[in-house]
Amino acid sequence: MTLKDYLTKLKIGLPKTNVHLDKQVYEAGSVINGTIEITGGLLKNKIKRYDIDLVGIDSQAFVEETLNSHSVFCSLECSPNQTGKITFLLDVPYEIQTNQNTCQYSLMINIDLGNANNITQNVPIMIGAVS
């Protein structure tokens, strides 16, 4: 087993992600405008695909539901110690529940690097009533 295979298996040196959103609170029917900032790890990687899901969790009914999803197949280089950005737009459905006491929302970010390596990030967001 090579050093690269060993580090990859242990998930050491994988790229790091940071998600930036344009607002702190979104309304039903609005658009989430965001950026995924990816900083390369120790080894060169290639991003094969990324998925962004808007997920709602109803804590009273113990139900998790994907409300909107965006997937992109790609072939982006991720070089060591370099930073790249992926911008995205995701619609918040008009018919979403805005009761923050029982429903919690988040963006689930999954970046597929191939070879069974994924980077996942859960970004909580707030969705308020339309004013």
Side-chain angles (χ1 to χ4, degrees), residues 69-127:
S69 185
H70 179 73
S71 297
V72 174
F73 290 95
C74 58
S75 182
L76 300 172
E77 294 282 331
C78 190
S79 298
N81 301 318
Q82 290 189 351
T83 300
K85 294 182 180 181
I86 297 172
T87 58
F88 66 90
L89 299 173
L90 193 67
D91 293 327
V92 177
Y94 283 99
E95 60 277 354
I96 199 166
Q97 294 181 21
T98 55
N99 185 348
Q100 290 291 331
N101 294 328
T102 60
C103 294
Q104 297 176 345
Y105 299 98
S106 63
L107 293 176
M108 297 295 295
I109 311 290
N110 184 50
I111 299 173
D112 182 356
L113 300 172
N115 299 326
N117 285 316
N118 289 354
I119 301 169
T120 57
Q121 189 168 354
N122 182 344
V123 181
I125 63 168
M126 295 193 59
I127 299 177

Side-chain angles (χ1 to χ4, degrees), residues 5-109:
D5 293 337
Y6 183 72
L7 292 174
T8 301
K9 185 174 181 176
L10 294 176
K11 298 192 181 227
I12 295 173
L14 289 179
K16 305 286 186 246
T17 61
N18 196 1
V19 178
H20 304 280
L21 302 176
D22 64 330
K23 297 181 193 175
Q24 291 184 340
V25 179
Y26 294 91
E27 297 176 347
S30 66
V31 175
I32 299 169
N33 184 353
T35 302
I36 304 168
E37 188 177 86
I38 303 170
T39 303
L42 297 175
L43 306 170
K44 187 175 186 178
N45 286 283
K46 189 170 275 198
I47 298 169
K48 307 276 186 192
R49 169 189 174 140
Y50 61 91
D51 304 298
I52 303 163
D53 299 328
L54 174 58
V55 177
I57 301 170
D58 186 331
S59 58
Q60 286 184 336
F62 301 107
V63 174
E64 181 177 313
E65 180 181 9
T66 300
L67 304 166
N68 199 352
S69 185
H70 179 73
S71 297
V72 174
F73 290 95
C74 58
S75 182
L76 300 172
E77 294 282 331
C78 190
S79 298
N81 301 318
Q82 290 189 351
T83 300
K85 294 182 180 181
I86 297 172
T87 58
F88 66 90
L89 299 173
L90 193 67
D91 293 327
V92 177
Y94 283 99
E95 60 277 354
I96 199 166
Q97 294 181 21
T98 55
N99 185 348
Q100 290 291 331
N101 294 328
T102 60
C103 294
Q104 297 176 345
Y105 299 98
S106 63
L107 293 176
M108 297 295 295
I109 311 290

